[in-house]
Amino acid sequence: MKNYLKHDNWCIIEEGFHREFNEITESVCSLGNGRMGQRGNFEETFTGKTLQGNYVAGVYYPDKTRVGWWKNGYPEYFAKVLNAANWIGIKVEIEEEILDLNTCEVSDFQRVLNMKDGYLHRTFVATLPSGNQVKVDSIRLNSIVDDESGVIRYSITPLNFDGKITLTPFVDGDIKNKDANYDEKFWEEVQKETAFAEGYVELVTKKTGFHVVTGQRFEIFQNGQSVDFQSLPIKAEKYVASQVTLNVNRNEETVLVKYACNLSSENHKIEDLLIKSKAYLKRISEKGFDKMLEEQAEKWASKWEMNDIVIEGDVAAQQGIRFNIFQMNQTYTGEDARLNIGPKGFTGEKYGGSTYWDTEAYCIPFYLATADQQVSRNLLIYRWKQLGKAIENAQKLGFKDGAALYPMVTMNGEECHNEWEITFEEIHRNGAIAYAIYDYVNYTGDKKYLAEYGFEVLLGIARFWSQRVNWSENKQQYVMLGVTGPNEYENNVNNNWYTNYFAVWCMKYVMEVSEYIKASDSVRYNELASSTNLNESLEFSKFNHIIDNMYLPESKELGIYLQQDGFLDKELIKVKDLDASQRPINQKWSWDRILRSCFIKQADVLQGMYFFEDDFDIESLKRNYDFYEPMTVHESSLSPCVHSIIAAKLGDKARSYEFYNRAARLDLDDYNNDTEDGCHITSMAGTWMSLVKGFGGMRIRGGKVYFSPFVPENWTSFSFKVRFRGNLLNVITTADFVTIENLSGGETSIYLYDEEYLLKENSNVKIEQQDFVLA
């Protein structure tokens, strides 16, 4: 755990240059706008420890899977989130010395991610080996108004000399991914072009054929006035630049404003990319930096008006939740139904693919409550559009008759994960996709979705489960063998309780949905039965037999559900008894040792009890929590939030806060020693869940919204807004009172500590806070 970033309500602040943590800070200070993004790299040359990263949404490369063996059904490729052309670069030479913070003496350094207004601000004083000293002030943003562009205001002021500086803004497409197999480069040049103070590089990805034009245009000011200058164009492989040499005087500021764009063939015709890039840069440069910065602040203000969570009395917690919400909104806007939420977003290249089960399990609840209903619907339709690929994925593994296995990792619906225990065994992902449909309908009341899209997905998933189980003559029950549950520190286990329970639920739910559609729209039901080749009596009879006879491992003696067969044969050791020098175990232990241990990477049984909490009484939940929590190392970013919500439900307020804080500050404090690879974007939605569902006690039951809030001990108050079925509610909780305001949407009813209140529009209810345990 690191603690070098200054706590602040609205900003992430690095004071003093922490070279040893630079890659971590680059991840944390990443910028994005849903279309493009980049890590918090320096504009000028830096030869120290850095991970250069620029990314364009929807663009990927199918890197050949690199394994020492091959098995039938194994993915042929591992989809890379591609490092794209570096558009932020500005080479700075001072009297022929290159400005490089790795070779300079650096003072007064500050790097600030301003989350309120959506920009990265960096200042420092550099003393070069010659003794020449300069002050630099850089502001960079990725526009969420003009979402295929970014802009940089780069200011340099000589402090102790008069002389010459040379500025060379550039676009460099000759880049590669850090984790590229065989050090392969994935981009080829199509064309490049330079003109006065501008340049363009068009690249195309190998194999997938995505075209991207990255362009730059710049202007220069001295002492606040635009200056004329001569620009020397430079071209190299996949590279364009413009070199400008200027006379500078002591204490006089020179400013380079660099406008850039990334236009992709995902959004434009290939033959139009270059000409549209030129027009795009002309338009935003005429708008100017100040206007773009002003528009950015206004757009972010509108986002924060809806999405902000305000915490009084705990700056670290406030900073943490705002950082998580900021990154979620940078990564996915919901404006393009073709896109999804990658686990690293625009903060790093680790993990392939753009879509994991994280979207359904963690992100959809966030967007349901904070965005227009269509955003969540689009995320579900994204999976419906890939149903054919899910059926193909299942066929590759030997399944038939319309069984669908959604990929663990994907770009286009095909499985592209390159670890066998994930690809073949971590099939619980199917359950999360089915649950998201239930979650959406339960939250919005949009039952039309079931007949339009949902039923086909649910049936394909249920068919998979019915074929994946087998009848055990020994147990006289159905079992599911050779799986990996959410806890990836167990592989190839038999009868993972979470997976078995989810399979049963999926088969129950698809039959419930079937009855609803049949009753509400028999014509559509007949169409669906025909298009899916549904033999209802035969298939549903089998589903019911599995439901009635599924084996779910448990210990009646301990009163707990067993994570999988044989779990109690392990040496059961608590995490608190593990030497701190051994953590995180995934970086200190062999995989063999991890698999033999009892330690749990993330919530598994508890994840299932979180999803289906109404199926279990509070005593059962407590027994399982008390048993599994002490063995959970939380080395998955997806884990702490679930534990926080469960602890809150059990009335364990201190532990709930502890888990919340770990989730909220996971990347800011680098809890798992892996933030240098990028931030954990999808788990950030879990931070929001831990506060709203945990401290806020928010639940949806029977088409009604319930709250049972409490304030953590060291907070004064907290408040959050949620959308629910056309209403916008503001929930304000202090140590003494809870107030719920109906800000818009007409009259509605809400439940507060299980008491119903009718709220007219622009009215509120205020009651004393209760010491309430959610039943």
Side-chain angles (χ1 to χ4, degrees), residues 483-496:
V483 303
T484 297
N487 172 25
E488 293 172 337
Y489 287 175
E490 301 276 7
N491 298 155
N492 200 36
V493 301
N494 294 335
N495 297 306
N496 172 257

Side-chain angles (χ1 to χ4, degrees), residues 553-719:
E554 63 178 319
S555 168
K556 294 189 182 299
E557 180 182 350
L558 297 175
I560 62 168
Y561 303 109
L562 295 180
Q563 185 173 271
Q564 74 265 347
D565 285 349
F567 187 83
L568 293 181
D569 292 332
K570 294 174 177 284
E571 183 181 10
L572 302 181
I573 303 171
K574 295 180 178 180
V575 175
K576 68 179 182 63
D577 296 325
L578 185 63
D579 192 291
S581 67
Q582 300 298 299
R583 303 281 307 279
I585 62 173
N586 62 15
Q587 296 172 23
K588 301 296 178 69
W589 287 11
S590 70
W591 196 243
D592 167 73
R593 186 179 180 188
I594 289 173
L595 293 178
R596 288 186 286 107
S597 80
C598 69
F599 296 119
I600 299 168
K601 181 182 181 183
Q602 72 182 80
D604 194 302
V605 169
L606 297 181
Q607 179 89 37
M609 298 187 84
Y610 154 72
F611 275 133
F612 304 110
E613 64 177 0
D614 291 340
D615 293 355
F616 309 100
D617 60 39
I618 201 78
E619 291 79 15
S620 177
L621 179 62
K622 188 175 189 309
R623 286 194 301 272
N624 282 274
Y625 173 82
D626 288 344
F627 180 78
Y628 287 110
E629 194 287 316
M631 292 182 284
T632 305
V633 291
H634 299 292
E635 289 174 10
S636 165
S637 63
L638 302 175
S639 187
C641 64
V642 172
H643 282 244
S644 178
I645 294 166
I646 292 176
K649 178 170 180 172
L650 294 173
D652 188 351
K653 298 178 182 180
R655 292 289 274 163
S656 181
Y657 171 77
E658 178 186 332
F659 291 129
Y660 159 81
N661 213 41
R662 179 173 182 137
R665 301 195 61 83
L666 180 76
D667 291 312
L668 294 176
D669 295 339
D670 193 24
Y671 269 88
N672 290 339
N673 291 330
D674 60 0
T675 304
E676 63 187 29
D677 297 322
C679 295
H680 300 80
I681 300 299
T682 45
S683 72
M684 291 179 176
T687 305
W688 178 92
M689 285 163 44
S690 65
L691 193 147
V692 173
K693 292 188 174 186
F695 306 156
M698 181 178 168
R699 301 292 189 276
I700 310 301
R701 295 194 176 106
K704 300 293 184 181
V705 61
Y706 289 70
F707 299 98
S708 53
F710 70 87
V711 177
E713 187 173 330
N714 54 329
W715 294 7
T716 305
S717 67
F718 72 97
S719 64

